[in-house]
Amino acid sequence: DAMVIQNPRYQVTQFGKPVTLSCSQTLNHNVMYWYQQKSSQAPKLLFHYYDKDFNNEADTPDNFQSRRPNTSFCFLDIRSPGLGDAAMYLCATGRGGNTGELFFGEGSRLTVL
Amino acid sequence: GNSVTQMEGPVTLSEEAFLTINCTYTATGYPSLFWYVQYPGEGLQLLLKATKADDKGSNKGFEATYRKETTSFHLEKGSVQVSDSAVYFCALSGGAGGYNKLIFGAGTRLAVHP
């Protein structure tokens, strides 16, 4: 059974039209992450939550926001998508600790027209 | 800052061939090192890890040894199968404050032919 579930798997939006991607987990992990993965590039961390504490990477554009209403759910909001935001968005969870494994969802692929 | 460099793909091999995918890293301190695999249509999943120098991680016939002197964590398998076709990502842990923040390489696509 899937433990990290992302919806939708595929999202098509128009330039400038807001988008929300969701992630849910059944693992009860403290930490939830959002990564952006562009074609043939390394996944890039956008931000993460440690419980309710939000941590933004320094180079994450303001256009990207996140919400974590409870332990199980985390959302990625893209306020005004541009063509450069077309990518695969990966959600991951972890227990915490520097040596721990991250558990990934299958990703949400965003297309911007 | 911390970074990971891995060999470009695609790597194309025949079944039962020997596999090496090179990975080197730059980091301050003593990070843990990981290999993740992404099969077609699926999310990333942990393949193996090593948490300190000279540790060897192994799983499903794959191995990698944490070499601090060469800052490397090369992935090897003695005999690949068609089912090993996937994208392989090398990563290091760069977090502080009790959580694991992974920094990934760009990935290496492996295609194994019968």
Side-chain angles (χ1 to χ4, degrees), chain A residues 88-105:
Chain A
M88 178 75 84
Y89 290 89
L90 304 172
C91 176
T93 72
R95 293 185 187 90
N98 208 31
T99 61
E101 176 181 356
L102 264 60
F103 295 79
F104 284 83

Side-chain angles (χ1 to χ4, degrees), chain A:
Chain A
D1 289 335
M3 296 176 287
V4 181
I5 301 169
Q6 293 188 239
N7 283 298
R9 292 288 309 278
Y10 302 92
Q11 176 74 59
V12 180
T13 190
Q14 292 181 333
F15 184 95
K17 187 173 181 182
V19 160
T20 294
L21 306 176
S22 75
C23 177
S24 64
Q25 58 140 336
T26 59
L27 299 166
N28 204 34
H29 284 167
N30 296 97
V31 194
M32 294 187 77
Y33 307 80
W34 280 104
Y35 282 83
Q36 180 191 61
Q37 184 183 16
K38 295 187 176 180
S39 181
S40 302
Q41 296 184 24
K44 178 179 175 298
L45 183 63
L46 296 174
F47 26 60
H48 75 275
Y49 277 90
Y50 195 118
D51 294 327
K52 293 186 177 181
D53 293 333
F54 176 72
N55 297 270
N56 204 32
E57 293 300 298
D59 56 354
T60 299
D62 292 340
N63 197 26
F64 291 85
Q65 304 287 320
S66 185
R67 297 169 282 136
R68 189 179 185 185
N70 54 53
T71 301
S72 300
F73 284 87
C74 194
F75 299 96
L76 171 62
D77 300 309
I78 308 175
R79 293 192 295 185
S80 181
L83 298 178
D85 296 326
M88 178 75 84
Y89 290 89
L90 304 172
C91 176
T93 72
R95 293 185 187 90
N98 208 31
T99 61
E101 176 181 356
L102 264 60
F103 295 79
F104 284 83
E106 293 180 323
S108 293
R109 182 169 294 283
L110 177 67
T111 300
V112 182
L113 301 177

Side-chain angles (χ1 to χ4, degrees), chain B residues 45-90:
Chain B
Q45 54 187 277
L46 180 67
L47 180 59
L48 54 83
K49 72 177 186 183
T51 58
K52 61 183 187 296
D54 300 325
D55 265 4
K56 177 185 284 187
S58 61
N59 186 26
K60 299 181 181 180
F62 291 89
E63 293 182 340
T65 301
Y66 188 160
R67 302 283 188 203
K68 188 171 183 296
E69 63 276 14
T70 55
T71 62
S72 65
F73 193 55
H74 304 321
L75 182 68
E76 296 182 337
K77 186 175 185 182
S79 176
V80 294
Q81 305 301 312
V82 172
S83 58
D84 294 326
S85 299
V87 182
Y88 293 81
F89 291 91
C90 185

Side-chain angles (χ1 to χ4, degrees), chain A residues 33 35 43 45 48 57 96-102 104, chain B residues 1-5 23-36 46 48-53 66 73 89-105:
Chain A
Y33 307 80
Y35 282 83
L45 183 63
H48 75 275
E57 293 300 298
N98 208 31
T99 61
E101 176 181 356
L102 264 60
F104 284 83
Chain B
N2 295 350
S3 65
V4 175
T5 302
C23 171
T24 57
Y25 67 90
T26 302
T28 55
Y30 303 96
S32 294
L33 300 174
F34 304 82
W35 277 99
Y36 278 77
L46 180 67
L48 54 83
K49 72 177 186 183
T51 58
K52 61 183 187 296
Y66 188 160
F73 193 55
F89 291 91
C90 185
L92 64 80
S93 61
Y99 68 92
N100 192 5
K101 174 178 165 178
L102 288 182
I103 297 166
F104 287 93

